[in-house]
Every structure is written in C-alpha cells, then in structure tokens.
Amino acid sequence: MLVLYYCARKSLFNIFFENRSSLIFQYEKGDITKREFLENNYHFVKSMNLNPFLKVDSFEKGMYNYQYYNVLAKYYKMLSKESKGNKKQLKNYVTYLNKANNYYNLKDKTTLEILNLVKFKGVESYFIQCESKSLSDKLYEIVLLDYKEAIFHSKAPWLLEIIKREGIFSNQKRKSIIDEYINEKY
C-alpha cells in the first residue's frame, strides 16, 4: 500500500532508483550484508507488483529491466545454492537454478538493448579479477561512463563477442568497480 501511495506522488523510476541507491549505500556502509541486500531488493521489486517493460526505448527503462532481472536471477541463484545437495530439495534446486539462468539470460539481453541505446559510446568493458575460480576469465564488467551506477556484469559468451566486435572490450583484467560486492559470498 505504501508503494502505491509513493507511486502516485513520484515517478516509478525515482522510487525504484532511490530504493536501489539506498540499498547500495546501506551495503557499502556495512549496515546490511550481501544476502540482506539481495533479499531487500527482491522484496521491494515484488512489492511494486510491476513487470519489466516490453519495449526498452529509454535508458531508464533499460536500467529498470536490467535490475529487475538481475534481482530475480540472484535471488533464485541464492535459493538454488541453499537447496543444492539436499535430496529432498532436488526438485527445488533444479527449479530455482532454471529460473536464475532464465533471468540471467534476460538480463544479458537487456544489457545489449542498453548498449544499443547508447550506441556503444562512453562504454568500457573488461574481465574482472574474481576470487571465485569458476568466474575467473568468464565474468566481465561493462561500465557506462556517463551514467551513475551503470555497471553491468555478464558471463554470456554471445554478448562478449558483440562487445569485442564493437571495440569496447579491453583484454586487460581489472579490479571491479564494485569489487567487494562481487567477491562477497552470499
């Protein structure tokens, strides 16, 4: 009910991005853990009772869709990890993992839509240094230099090929702009 009241007074984007910035601030200060960050993001998105936009024709819609899919992907990935190795929860593990992978794929497609919107200008991309061996040389960061908090991550080989073709990928591995968040387990 509170969200609906604010929606009437503020734009969807303002509410969404203010909440996101607030959670980032709380996480960076150490007030919440990565798990709490993910759970709070998930519950906020669900409380808004909104779906992603069908057509991404603005940066704001793209950011909203990216975050929407990213929140759901990470949330279901977290649930799949909790179910893994438990024979009684094998069905849940598979369900959660499939949902996570689907949302990651939709997130990557949204990343491409955003890159197309900015015409691949003011963008840099590179592999990031990861503590996780399974992510090393797979996880890359895409940064939109002209936008606040526009940092995207992916492992999708098809998206990497496009980024390389557009000439915005550096072969030099770097520390992520949000290194602490990337390397914290949840």
Side-chain angles (χ1 to χ4, degrees), residues 16 19-20 23-24 35-47 67 70-71 181:
F16 179 79
N19 181 74
R20 181 173 179 262
L23 289 174
I24 289 170
R35 181 184 179 87
E36 290 169 321
F37 176 84
L38 295 173
E39 288 173 339
N40 289 341
N41 249 330
Y42 173 80
H43 293 300
F44 179 77
V45 166
K46 286 300 187 181
S47 75
Q67 290 305 322
N70 194 43
V71 163
Y181 175 80

Side-chain angles (χ1 to χ4, degrees), residues 35-105:
R35 181 184 179 87
E36 290 169 321
F37 176 84
L38 295 173
E39 288 173 339
N40 289 341
N41 249 330
Y42 173 80
H43 293 300
F44 179 77
V45 166
K46 286 300 187 181
S47 75
M48 290 185 76
N49 200 27
L50 296 171
N51 293 317
F53 293 97
L54 296 176
K55 183 177 181 183
V56 175
D57 54 5
S58 72
F59 174 77
E60 291 81 7
K61 286 180 180 179
M63 283 295 289
Y64 174 82
N65 279 13
Y66 178 91
Q67 290 305 322
Y68 178 91
Y69 294 133
N70 194 43
V71 163
L72 294 176
K74 288 185 184 314
Y75 183 76
Y76 285 113
K77 182 71 170 182
M78 181 177 67
L79 293 179
S80 76
K81 286 179 181 180
E82 291 173 356
S83 302
K84 189 175 182 178
N86 184 334
K87 289 183 181 181
K88 290 181 181 179
Q89 293 194 10
L90 181 60
K91 184 178 177 184
N92 287 342
Y93 168 73
V94 171
T95 299
Y96 294 146
L97 188 59
N98 285 339
K99 283 184 175 190
N101 289 335
N102 180 55
Y103 286 125
Y104 278 126
N105 185 49

Side-chain angles (χ1 to χ4, degrees), residues 5 13 41 56 63 66 73 80 89 102 104 111 119 125 132 134 139-140 156 163 173 180:
Y5 170 75
F13 297 124
N41 249 330
V56 175
M63 283 295 289
Y66 178 91
S80 76
Q89 293 194 10
N102 180 55
Y104 278 126
T111 300
K119 297 179 176 36
S125 181
S132 166
S134 66
L139 186 64
Y140 52 95
I163 290 168
K173 190 182 278 192
E180 187 175 313

Side-chain angles (χ1 to χ4, degrees), residues 4 11 23 27 32 43 89 93 99-100 120 140 151 183:
L4 293 176
S11 79
L23 289 174
Y27 173 77
I32 60 175
H43 293 300
Q89 293 194 10
Y93 168 73
K99 283 184 175 190
F120 293 88
Y140 52 95
I151 305 161
N183 286 303

Side-chain angles (χ1 to χ4, degrees), residues 128-141:
I128 57 174
Q129 299 165 353
C130 299
E131 292 176 12
S132 166
K133 291 186 187 341
S134 66
L135 293 176
S136 187
D137 297 324
K138 291 183 184 154
L139 186 64
Y140 52 95
E141 188 164 79

